[in-house]
Amino acid sequence: MSLSQPALASASARGGYAWWYVEAHDTVEQRFGLTLIMFAGSVFSPHYADRLRRGEPATGLEHPAVNFALYERGASGRAAGLPSRQRLWVMNEYAPSALRVSERRLAIQDSFIDYSTDGKTHIELHEHATRFFGRPGQRLDARLTVTAPPPSQAPLELGRSAAGQVHYWQPLAVAGQV
């Protein structure tokens, strides 16, 4: 499976973007869930949106970002139907040089996703949790191996913009287990 095509082609266009998405739940205690999105062109970036509004030829490759959320269910587990609480949130943007992509690896700054030939997704996160007003949050250093159901599929074309840009979604592990 290639992590790079056609996603990078989409992210290299003016206003383009690509997402690599992982959602997983712990299967032992059924207590934790996580969502990870690595972006080439964060659609949540005020900097990217501002550049596009000013008419600059900004591309997604110039605005990589890491988004991670860790949720914890109530103490009685999923069966109790208790609401989840967000335990940690990361939403960090980086300089263009932080984005590095190969056939099986996507890295942004010090965090990365490796899609191995055995069908597992190996993730390392080295981020600061998001805090507001310019202060970094607590440090997150995590290693995860996500086992997905059957091998992930190729990128899906979701549609096209008025300018003809193709929008892709590349699910790596939509129902993974950690």
Side-chain angles (χ1 to χ4, degrees):
M1 166 183 228
S2 172
L3 291 175
S4 57
Q5 293 301 330
L8 289 181
S10 180
S12 67
R14 181 185 183 280
Y17 64 89
W19 292 19
W20 291 266
Y21 178 90
V22 176
E23 182 175 324
H25 302 274
D26 103 67
T27 57
V28 178
E29 296 179 32
Q30 296 186 6
R31 186 171 160 196
F32 292 99
L34 65 87
T35 301
L36 169 67
I37 307 171
M38 294 181 83
F39 298 93
S42 172
V43 295
F44 304 111
S45 170
H47 307 293
Y48 191 20
D50 191 44
R51 288 185 66 203
L52 292 170
R53 272 193 295 277
R54 289 193 311 257
E56 293 181 28
T59 73
L61 300 179
E62 298 168 309
H63 294 275
V66 175
N67 176 238
F68 176 79
L70 177 65
Y71 296 92
E72 181 179 21
R73 293 184 184 89
S76 300
R78 185 186 338 198
L82 298 174
S84 296
R85 284 186 357 176
Q86 187 173 8
R87 302 303 264 165
L88 182 73
W89 181 53
V90 169
M91 185 61 187
N92 296 329
E93 294 185 56
Y94 293 99
S97 61
L99 177 65
R100 299 171 313 280
V101 182
S102 67
E103 189 71 17
R104 296 195 174 272
R105 176 178 272 208
L106 170 74
I108 298 176
Q109 196 68 7
D110 297 326
S111 297
F112 63 85
I113 297 175
D114 271 329
Y115 187 79
S116 68
T117 56
D118 64 4
K120 294 179 181 173
T121 303
H122 302 282
I123 300 166
E124 280 199 27
L125 296 170
H126 303 286
E127 300 286 335
H128 282 281
T130 300
R131 291 277 194 242
F132 296 97
F133 310 111
R135 297 182 314 240
Q138 70 188 61
R139 183 75 181 162
L140 166 65
D141 290 297
R143 285 190 178 125
L144 305 166
T145 299
V146 178
T147 306
S152 298
Q153 53 196 357
L156 300 172
E157 182 177 324
L158 297 179
R160 293 177 183 262
S161 71
Q165 296 168 316
V166 181
H167 299 280
Y168 290 100
W169 180 58
Q170 175 134 21
L172 297 180
V174 255
Q177 301 171 356
V178 274

